Amino acid sequence: MMNNKYKILLVEDDANISNLIAAMLEATGYQVLLAESCSMAKLLYSSYLPDLIILDLGLPDKDGMELLHFVRKSALTPVIVLSARTKEEDKVAALDSGANDYVTKPFGSAELLARVRTALRNHRFSSEEGRLPGGRFTLRDLEIHYEARQVFIQGQEIRLTQTEYNIVAFLSENAGKMMTYSAIIKAIWGSGAYDGSIKKLQVNMANIRKKFGAKPGEENYITNELGVGYRMNG
Ligand code: CA
């Protein structure tokens, strides 16, 4: 029974927060390993190889980013950053260093659990099944056929331009992960002039959302975090 449980490494020095999260995760059926410092987290990570890491950035010994770099040297273990730092630059830095997602304190339990589920599911999908060229991506009634480069909603083909398709495909290949503007721009246009590309990206995203039938201010398949990036939900 224990062996079937996902192991989650929770790195958090605030006992009130860690107790709350640990209780919530355990009630949901996860096994929790708790570290109160960066050095302890490294030790637990290396000994137990957890399935997911929830990472506070403000730790007593080192910055939590150090653990993120340490893990990313050798593994794609999903990392959800949980931080009181709300500046866009901090989020972008964590995401561009390989964090899968970023949750800002204070947070809702339901929201954090949803992000954990998404990160675990997408990681399992990408590591076990791979993304074959002829593969398909499904998110509720949205379907992408990679080989034919076609996108369908409720079985109806959505006509996208080449660029729009490339953006949608890239986000779907990283579903559940918040992709920063610069990561998307690099993938779609190469590392060109970044400033002009943000505008181009925003125009393309607006068109994609319109074609996907999103109403202004409403999220359907793709979430936009202003100043940070986009995430294909899932
Ligand atoms: Ca802290």
Side-chain angles (χ1 to χ4, degrees):
M1 184 70 178
M2 279 302 275
N3 296 336
N4 292 332
K5 288 189 175 181
Y6 279 117
K7 282 193 293 272
I8 297 180
L9 173 59
L10 173 58
V11 189
E12 170 64 75
D13 61 317
D14 183 325
N16 289 325
I17 297 177
S18 65
N19 288 341
L20 182 85
I21 298 176
M24 176 181 83
L25 292 173
E26 281 164 356
T28 313
Y30 298 113
Q31 187 189 341
V32 179
L33 305 159
L34 179 62
E36 293 163 5
S37 65
C38 188
S39 55
M40 190 176 170
K42 281 185 185 174
L43 207 69
L44 288 178
Y45 170 78
S46 304
S47 318
Y48 295 98
L49 296 176
D51 300 292
L52 181 135
I53 300 169
I54 297 175
L55 177 63
D56 174 31
L57 294 182
L59 296 170
D61 55 345
K62 294 258 174 62
D63 193 292
M65 287 291 283
E66 160 126 0
L67 183 76
L68 179 59
H69 293 303
F70 175 77
V71 170
R72 279 293 170 271
K73 268 188 241 159
S74 62
L76 290 172
T77 312
V79 175
I80 299 175
V81 169
L82 181 66
S83 179
R85 297 178 197 167
T86 55
K87 281 199 298 231
E88 287 161 5
E89 305 94 89
D90 292 322
K91 296 183 188 181
V92 168
L95 293 165
D96 278 341
S97 297
N100 294 58
D101 216 333
Y102 197 107
V103 177
T104 312
K105 293 176 185 171
F107 57 93
S109 312
E111 186 196 2
L112 182 61
L113 268 182
R115 304 281 186 97
V116 166
R117 263 195 302 270
T118 299
L120 284 171
R121 184 175 59 235
N122 289 314
H123 181 64
R124 193 181 53 214
F125 178 72
S126 55
S127 55
E128 284 176 11
E129 300 175 31
R131 305 268 174 179
L132 301 171
R136 289 182 180 196
F137 171 85
T138 310
L139 171 60
R140 298 194 301 276
D141 51 9
L142 170 78
E143 203 171 295
I144 304 172
H145 299 188
Y146 291 121
E147 200 166 2
R149 296 173 60 86
Q150 284 175 310
V151 177
F152 299 88
I153 291 178
Q154 291 176 347
Q156 293 283 93
E157 187 178 355
I158 308 297
R159 306 299 295 266
L160 299 176
T161 66
Q162 290 296 317
T163 302
E164 289 163 8
Y165 172 82
N166 290 340
I167 294 170
V168 170
F170 176 71
L171 291 177
S172 73
E173 283 159 6
N174 296 284
K177 214 172 153 180
M178 177 63 72
M179 303 307 291
T180 62
Y181 296 141
S182 73
I184 301 169
I185 287 164
K186 213 148 108 200
I188 305 301
W189 290 287
S191 44
Y194 178 70
D195 286 345
S197 303
I198 284 203
K199 189 79 207 147
K200 259 198 303 193
L201 175 61
Q202 284 167 338
V203 169
N204 275 283
M205 285 305 312
N207 289 335
I208 291 167
R209 287 174 54 80
K210 216 180 296 163
K211 290 178 182 182
F212 278 10
K215 296 178 183 63
E218 186 186 85
E219 292 173 356
N220 54 0
Y221 306 102
I222 298 169
T223 302
N224 177 22
E225 188 166 337
L226 229 57
V228 178
Y230 294 96
R231 178 201 307 114
M232 177 79 81
N233 303 316

